[in-house]
């Protein structure tokens, strides 16, 4: 696939059957031609996560201006407010998000997309893997599709016992000089309580595809016990992270990744030494309120995310 405009010509190199593509020939910034922006949107809808090499010129401001071409940037985070004004610093000195998740699903309006730029990288490791939640849904047998479509899940930013135990284990592996940073970040992350009820199967507002809406912010399924929820969660989540449904990106300086948060999960791989530094900057774009196949939208249980993000009008943004 290739797209041409007055100033840009880019190609799309597919990386996997279900997810991932590399975009070539585009210099990212706030001055892209409308035809190029439309091509990027189309590639993102089709491939779920797209990658750009060689964007060494891009600053935080340039990243932000480019993001505005694709949608309305949110504030960096609903609760973590001390780690950036325009973008959120994804910094290993403040912790490592090495578990499968979609961004900020504990609010009623999760971001539609995230734009991540490499700033500093470890000498080895530190890659990121994305999974297609559309491919995961499509791979379910019909009885499990019907079951998933009937379920709703409670997402929260509050850690349960198992998650707290995992955090404590990671803190033990952090160099002493960074332990305070990690704990402070964790404390800020849970400083405001959010809980939202989402459909387990959401309908993508642009493509009409069905996707599993899960990830590590899921606490339980509505109406089911903790044990039942954990059993069903593993059943569905195992389909998400099946290797055939994933794409892995080995970062280089100057790289930018954009993923559709409505149809993917991701995992930052913690396979580099504790004293190696990994820093990226993330900008997220305002999304809509997820809707299940029966037309029922997500529901706030606790927390008001109005200050974090608008609710995108998908028709107006198209």
């Amino acid at each position: 696939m290739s797209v041409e405009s007055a100033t840009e010509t880019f190609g799309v190199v597919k990386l996997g059957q279900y997810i991932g593509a590399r975009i070539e020939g585009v210099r990212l910034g706030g001055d892209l031609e409308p035809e190029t922006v439309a091509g990027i949107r189309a590639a993102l809808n089709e491939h779920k996560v797209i990658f750009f090499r060689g964007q060494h010129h891009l600053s935080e401001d340039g990243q932000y201006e480019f993001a505005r071409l694709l949608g309305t940037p949110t504030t960096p985070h609903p609760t973590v407010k001390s780690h950036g004004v325009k973008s959120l610093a994804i910094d290993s000195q403040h912790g490592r998000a090495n578990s499968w998740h979609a961004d900020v699903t504990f609010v009623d309006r999760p971001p539609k997309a995230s734009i991540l730029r490499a700033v500093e990288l470890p000498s080895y490791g530190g890659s990121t893997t994305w999974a297609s939640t559309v491919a995961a849904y499509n791979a379910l047998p019909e009885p499990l599709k019907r079951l998933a479509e009937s379920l709703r899940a409670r997402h929260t930013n509050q850690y349960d016992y198992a998650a707290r135990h995992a955090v404590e284990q990671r803190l033990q592996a952090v160099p002493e000089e960074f332990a305070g940073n990690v704990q402070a970040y964790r404390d800020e992350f849970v400083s405001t309580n959010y809980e939202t009820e989402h459909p387990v199967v959401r309908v993508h507002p642009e493509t009409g595809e069905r996707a599993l809406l899960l990830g590590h912010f899921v606490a339980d399924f509505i109406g089911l016990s903790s044990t039942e929820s954990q059993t069903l969660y593993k059943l569905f989540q195992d389909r998400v992270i099946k290797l055939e449904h994933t794409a892995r990106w080995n970062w280089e300086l100057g790289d930018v990744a954009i993923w559709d948060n409505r149809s993917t999960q991701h995992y930052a791989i913690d396979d580099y030494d504790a004293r190696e530094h990994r820093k990226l900057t993330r900008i997220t774009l305002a999304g809509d309120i997820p809707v299940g196949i029966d037309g029922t939208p997500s529901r706030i249980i606790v927390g008001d995310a109005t200050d974090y993000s608008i609710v995108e009008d998908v028709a107006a943004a198209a």
Side-chain angles (χ1 to χ4, degrees):
M1 174 183 173
S2 65
V3 177
E4 295 188 5
S5 71
T7 58
E8 294 103 12
T9 300
F10 75 83
V12 180
V13 180
K14 191 170 182 177
L15 301 179
Q17 180 179 2
Y18 301 110
I19 184 171
R22 187 178 70 253
I23 309 299
E24 298 182 337
V26 174
R27 179 183 169 90
L28 296 179
D31 58 350
L32 292 179
E33 295 284 344
E35 295 88 348
T36 301
V37 176
I40 291 172
R41 289 178 182 273
L44 187 59
N45 278 338
E46 179 178 355
H47 299 288
K48 318 307 182 195
V49 58
I50 55 178
F51 306 99
F52 301 78
R53 293 280 197 198
Q55 307 297 314
H56 300 280
H57 65 283
L58 206 60
S59 63
E60 181 188 33
D61 287 342
Q63 182 182 0
Y64 189 84
E65 292 306 311
F66 166 66
R68 291 179 62 190
L69 298 178
L70 298 178
T72 303
T74 69
T75 62
H77 195 271
T79 62
V80 180
K81 302 181 184 297
S82 65
H83 291 270
V85 176
K86 289 185 173 180
S87 66
L88 180 70
I90 308 299
D91 192 328
S92 61
Q93 293 180 359
H94 300 133
R96 305 186 182 194
N98 55 328
S99 58
W100 284 102
H101 65 286
D103 288 330
V104 199
T105 61
F106 48 83
V107 302
D108 65 321
R109 59 200 70 190
K112 74 171 182 179
S114 292
I115 302 166
L116 192 63
R117 178 175 62 96
V119 175
E120 186 172 346
L121 297 172
S123 59
Y124 60 87
S127 57
T128 305
T129 299
W130 283 264
S132 169
T133 55
V134 171
Y137 169 83
N138 290 336
L140 291 173
E142 285 301 319
L144 290 183
K145 286 182 180 177
R146 303 290 86 79
L147 175 59
E149 290 164 1
S150 71
L151 294 171
R152 294 176 73 85
R154 181 172 63 94
H155 295 236
T156 178
N157 64 320
Q158 303 297 312
Y159 299 115
D160 61 16
Y161 172 79
R164 285 197 301 270
H165 180 65
V167 169
E168 289 166 1
Q169 286 185 316
R170 287 200 292 272
L171 279 171
Q172 293 174 4
V174 172
E176 184 176 353
E177 62 266 33
F178 301 139
N181 294 342
V182 174
Q183 187 60 59
Y185 189 95
R186 297 289 174 179
D187 291 344
E188 188 174 6
F189 190 90
V190 299
S191 59
T192 302
N193 184 24
Y194 286 95
E195 292 185 21
T196 300
E197 177 189 305
H198 289 301
V200 170
V201 178
R202 70 167 297 174
V203 179
H204 194 287
E206 294 183 58
T207 68
E209 296 172 308
R210 296 178 181 183
L212 295 177
L213 176 45
L214 296 170
H216 71 193
F217 295 118
V218 171
D220 50 37
F221 293 134
I222 303 300
L224 300 183
S225 70
S226 176
T227 300
E228 292 166 338
S229 295
Q230 290 172 12
T231 299
L232 285 180
Y233 180 87
K234 184 177 187 306
L235 179 68
F236 295 126
Q237 184 68 10
D238 282 350
R239 300 285 178 145
V240 174
I241 64 175
K242 187 177 181 182
L243 289 178
E244 288 82 353
H245 299 157
T246 67
R248 180 167 174 167
W249 187 251
N250 297 314
W251 291 96
E252 297 178 5
L253 289 177
D255 284 358
V256 172
I258 309 174
W259 64 94
D260 189 328
N261 198 53
R262 302 163 297 190
S263 58
T264 62
Q265 290 181 29
H266 56 282
Y267 185 113
I269 300 173
D270 183 7
D271 61 349
Y272 52 100
D273 186 80
R275 293 190 179 278
E276 292 271 351
H277 190 206
R278 179 182 186 270
K279 182 179 179 181
L280 306 97
T281 58
R282 188 189 78 189
I283 294 173
T284 57
L285 299 177
D288 63 321
I289 295 176
V291 175
I293 68 164
D294 63 353
T296 304
S298 300
R299 180 180 69 87
I300 296 171
I301 300 173
V302 177
D304 181 357
T306 304
D307 290 341
Y308 164 63
S309 171
I310 66 166
V311 175
E312 184 186 54
D313 182 336
V314 177

